[in-house]
Amino acid sequence: MFMGTSEDRAYLQAYKAIRQALRERYWPEGQHVSVARCAEACKYSPTPVREAMARLAGEGLLDERRGLGYFVPRLGPVELSELYTVAQGTAASLLNEPVVLSANIAGNGADETRFDSGTILVTLAGQTANSLLCLIAANLDARLAPVQPAEATLFDLMAESAEFLALLGAGDRRILHRFTNAYYSRRRKAALEIARRHDSLARSATQ
């Protein structure tokens, strides 16, 4: 089996680690993400870390500013509206894909399972064999994850999750398409308020 060089492995591991940290909001929006500090924390040389950050910038998960480095992007209403629009289209594309796996969500029950605007896409992608759509879904999941707390102040995520899980189990993709269409339309229309609440929550967390 091809294992790659140690630099290849370091690059992939750094990419995954930084991507996960961004998804979990380790750094606040607008903060500089230092290549040197990340390399020190990961115990890698700066080269694979810089390459990983360049890839993340290409995916929209970091902002690259010439001469200044990499920063956590800010999510304003325009960016959010665009992300919800892409998410809506991605859900439609996923629901047009052939099902290769049955819907099998870990059996903790609809009353305990909580989906958000990103994990819905990842769940749908997990039933298909389209690797490109899977990558797009994972990227959208990471980019939308920071606003999940703000969404929770506007929408009943538990009720939405229960409805999604029930429809997923029933396997009627036509009705699922109707659900995801309405789901992302609600968020796109509320993008200004979601962004406002997201900004307020972010400021509270840093005080």
Side-chain angles (χ1 to χ4, degrees):
M1 179 188 297
F2 174 71
M3 298 297 293
T5 67
S6 59
E7 284 288 297
D8 292 333
R9 292 193 293 275
Y11 155 71
L12 287 172
Q13 289 167 0
Y15 168 79
K16 290 176 182 177
I18 298 168
R19 192 176 190 280
Q20 186 64 25
L22 289 166
R23 192 191 186 287
E24 294 176 356
R25 304 182 295 282
Y26 180 79
W27 299 285
E29 289 178 19
Q31 181 170 319
H32 175 247
V33 182
S34 166
V35 170
R37 288 182 183 173
C38 285
E40 184 180 354
C42 295
K43 296 183 170 53
Y44 299 138
S45 71
T47 300
V49 173
R50 190 175 293 107
E51 290 174 354
M53 287 190 179
R55 176 176 170 183
L56 289 162
E59 294 175 355
L61 294 173
L62 283 173
D63 281 340
E64 183 177 8
R65 301 179 194 170
R66 189 177 296 276
L68 296 174
Y70 297 95
F71 294 79
V72 180
R74 296 185 183 278
L75 280 174
V78 174
E79 292 85 359
L80 268 181
S81 180
E82 290 172 349
L83 285 172
Y84 288 133
T85 299
V86 175
Q88 186 174 355
T90 302
S93 296
L94 286 165
L95 288 168
N96 286 330
E97 285 290 305
V99 179
V100 295
L101 297 172
S102 59
N104 183 22
I105 307 301
N108 49 349
D111 56 334
E112 299 175 11
T113 305
R114 185 162 169 161
F115 297 89
D116 59 39
S117 49
T119 52
I120 279 180
L121 294 175
V122 171
T123 302
L124 292 175
Q127 299 178 68
T128 77
N130 189 317
S131 58
L132 178 58
L133 283 175
C134 287
L135 284 172
I136 293 170
N139 179 270
L140 286 166
D141 177 41
R143 295 184 71 180
L144 286 168
V147 298
Q148 193 270 344
E151 288 182 2
T153 66
L154 281 171
F155 305 107
D156 188 342
L157 299 190
M158 292 303 293
E160 289 179 327
S161 298
E163 184 179 359
F164 172 67
L165 192 61
L167 293 174
L168 192 65
D172 189 328
R173 296 209 146 201
R174 197 165 40 88
I175 298 177
L176 258 175
H177 177 74
R178 209 174 299 152
F179 167 83
T180 56
N181 225 9
Y183 179 95
Y184 290 109
S185 290
R186 283 195 296 274
R187 281 154 175 75
R188 191 176 65 251
K189 290 173 184 174
L192 180 62
E193 182 60 21
I194 293 171
R196 188 189 69 77
R197 295 190 185 200
H198 169 64
D199 189 52
S200 177
L201 289 169
R203 281 201 307 271
S204 299
T206 57
Q207 289 174 354

